[in-house]
Amino acid sequence: MKRIFSFFMDDLLFSISLFVALISCFFGKFSIESIDFKVIVCLFGLMLLVANIDKLGVLTYLAEKLIDVSINTRALIRNITLLAFFSSMLLTNDVAILSLMPIYLTITKKVPDMNHKLTGAVLLIIAANLGSSFFPFGNPQNLFLFSYYSLAAGTFFNWAFLLLLVSFVFLFLSFFWIKKSPIPNQEEPLPSIDQRNIIYLSLIGLLILIGVFDLLPYSIVIPIAILLLGIYDSSSLKKVDYRLLATFIFFFIAVGNFSQLETISLLIKKQFTTSSATFFGSIAVSQVISNVPAAILIAPFTAQTKALFFGVNVGGLGTIIASLANLIGFKIYKQYYPNQSKQFLLMFSLINLIFLIGFIVLFYFIL
């Protein structure tokens, strides 16, 4: 019993999502279609790829190089944050966090006296969420909205550029709050990496991205990539965070079940009729069920497309579950610093609240 209790208490997000999913089954009929298997399969493949890359020493190498080009801790956090911001446009927010958070945390291990370590981790997650909004394929909610409303490319990019510009200004201003501290010289030589393994893993990574971007059916190419990674190093399968994958599944089940309630459908139709109501409402819903399910839940009941676009993208800020990418960042941080979960959640909530208030005030007048 102690082991079971410890298992559930060790990961409260997993436990809460399981509880909510079970409760939701009393209000709606479970459907396997509620689960977005593409998200689950792609996330599993990306986790496995990062685990193999980490074992190869690539993350340590990149961490050393990033330290070399940064003159102080502020520059270091700025460089990794902006890298997350721009790379997430093409790689998606999940991939950017999965790839860059381990590099950043490897750096913090090498610079133990680094100031604003938590701040840097939170800004990296925020940057990945905001930057990924520029292209339709950068995150799931925009891909859904772009397809569901049959948006013209020009219309989408007009909205996305405005969000991108404001996001960049907010991020740039946030760097001034980070204290400049010198980074000690790294006397250790850069680790040697087998080029053949790099090429092999890069090709598998390309195969995964082909599936993520639907250039080929993900149901074919991602399992092939997973099989190749498993053959390359079967021990990496033990490093995958299976409870995080389960957490995603539980959230999908809960949203699918609750959305079947007629009272919820009627409430959404009644509330999401104006631009401001849709903007604020989609932000509020995102805080509870995350922005991707919020977009899927609200879209059929409102014609306020622009307000919904800004609402679900800004709504990724706020709580730890406002964006599923937030969960990924938190879980990775917890792996590196298992005793700092409370500090992380506190800092995450504080910084996200500041960003969220700033966006709400600004876009309220724009919309």
Side-chain angles (χ1 to χ4, degrees):
M1 289 298 296
K2 288 183 178 179
R3 292 179 63 183
I4 294 175
F5 181 78
S6 177
F7 175 82
F8 286 102
M9 289 302 296
D10 184 54
D11 193 335
L12 288 177
L13 287 172
F14 167 83
S15 302
I16 292 172
S17 65
L18 172 60
F19 177 75
V20 173
L22 291 174
I23 293 298
S24 71
C25 291
F26 291 99
F27 297 94
K29 184 178 180 181
F30 168 74
S31 173
I32 196 70
E33 295 179 357
S34 299
I35 302 174
D36 191 333
F37 284 102
K38 179 182 177 181
V39 172
I40 303 301
V41 173
C42 291
L43 187 57
F44 178 74
L46 290 166
M47 285 180 172
L48 195 57
L49 177 65
V50 171
N52 279 282
I53 291 175
D54 188 18
K55 189 173 182 179
L56 194 60
V58 175
L59 298 182
T60 302
Y61 177 86
L62 292 175
E64 295 279 7
K65 294 295 289 183
L66 199 56
I67 291 174
D68 288 342
V69 300
S70 302
I71 58 176
N72 53 52
T73 52
R74 179 191 290 180
L76 180 59
I77 291 176
R78 181 192 63 220
N79 292 340
I80 193 74
T81 300
L82 292 181
L83 183 59
F85 182 70
F86 290 108
S87 65
S88 65
M89 297 178 191
L90 297 175
L91 298 178
T92 76
N93 52 353
D94 297 343
V95 178
I97 292 172
L98 277 168
S99 303
L100 297 178
M101 183 65 84
I103 295 175
Y104 172 72
L105 295 177
T106 300
I107 292 173
T108 63
K109 291 284 188 179
K110 290 181 169 293
V111 188
D113 297 328
M114 181 173 171
N115 293 315
H116 301 286
K117 173 179 63 182
L118 277 168
T119 303
V122 174
L123 288 177
L124 190 155
I125 296 171
I126 291 175
N129 275 324
L130 294 174
S132 66
S133 301
F134 186 65
F135 288 113
F137 52 78
N139 53 48
Q141 72 267 17
N142 282 352
L143 187 61
F144 169 76
L145 294 176
F146 185 81
S147 174
Y148 183 84
Y149 287 106
S150 299
L151 293 174
T155 300
F156 179 90
F157 283 114
N158 280 336
W159 301 345
F161 181 76
L162 177 59
L163 180 60
L164 185 76
L165 181 62
V166 175
S167 300
F168 181 81
V169 171
F170 280 8
L171 283 171
F172 188 80
L173 292 175
S174 70
F175 299 140
F176 290 102
W177 293 96
I178 299 173
K179 182 181 178 181
K180 292 182 180 180
S181 298
I183 299 176
N185 294 327
Q186 303 297 305
E187 299 179 356
E188 298 179 4
L190 290 175
S192 59
I193 302 175
D194 191 324
Q195 295 296 323
R196 291 173 298 179
N197 290 332
I198 287 290
I199 294 174
Y200 180 77
L201 292 178
S202 297
L203 291 175
I204 295 179
L206 179 62
L207 190 62
I208 292 176
L209 290 179
I210 287 174
V212 170
F213 294 142
D214 287 324
L215 298 178
L216 289 174
Y218 83 91
S219 57
I220 297 176
V221 296
I222 301 294
I224 291 175
I226 291 172
L227 178 62
L228 293 174
L229 288 170
I231 293 173
Y232 174 76
D233 185 0
S234 59
S235 65
S236 61
L237 291 166
K238 299 178 181 179
K239 296 184 177 182
V240 173
D241 192 341
Y242 294 100
R243 280 194 285 191
L244 177 60
L245 295 175
T247 300
F248 274 58
I249 292 174
F250 295 149
F251 272 120
F252 285 133
I253 292 173
V255 171
N257 289 339
F258 284 129
S259 63
Q260 296 175 30
L261 291 176
E262 186 176 352
T263 52
I264 292 180
S265 298
L266 292 174
L267 179 64
I268 295 175
K269 285 182 179 179
K270 184 178 179 180
Q271 297 297 325
F272 292 78
T273 54
T274 65
S275 178
S276 59
T278 302
F279 177 66
F280 286 111
S282 55
I283 291 176
V285 174
S286 296
Q287 303 309 301
V288 181
I289 65 173
S290 86
N291 53 1
V292 177
I296 296 172
L297 182 65
I298 297 170
F301 305 106
T302 184
Q304 302 294 332
T305 314
K306 182 179 181 180
L308 181 58
F309 168 84
F310 285 114
V312 293
N313 281 292
V314 172
L317 304 169
T319 65
I320 195 67
I321 62 171
S323 168
L324 295 180
N326 296 346
L327 288 176
I328 295 174
F330 171 61
K331 295 287 289 186
I332 296 175
Y333 190 92
K334 189 177 178 181
Q335 289 174 0
Y336 280 76
Y337 295 99
N339 298 322
Q340 296 184 13
S341 297
K342 291 182 179 179
Q343 297 96 312
F344 178 90
L345 289 174
L346 181 61
M347 183 63 69
F348 181 91
S349 300
L350 177 61
I351 297 177
N352 271 262
L353 180 61
I354 294 172
F355 268 82
L356 185 58
I357 292 174
F359 274 104
I360 288 175
V361 171
L362 183 63
F363 281 105
Y364 175 76
F365 293 103
I366 294 176
L367 294 174

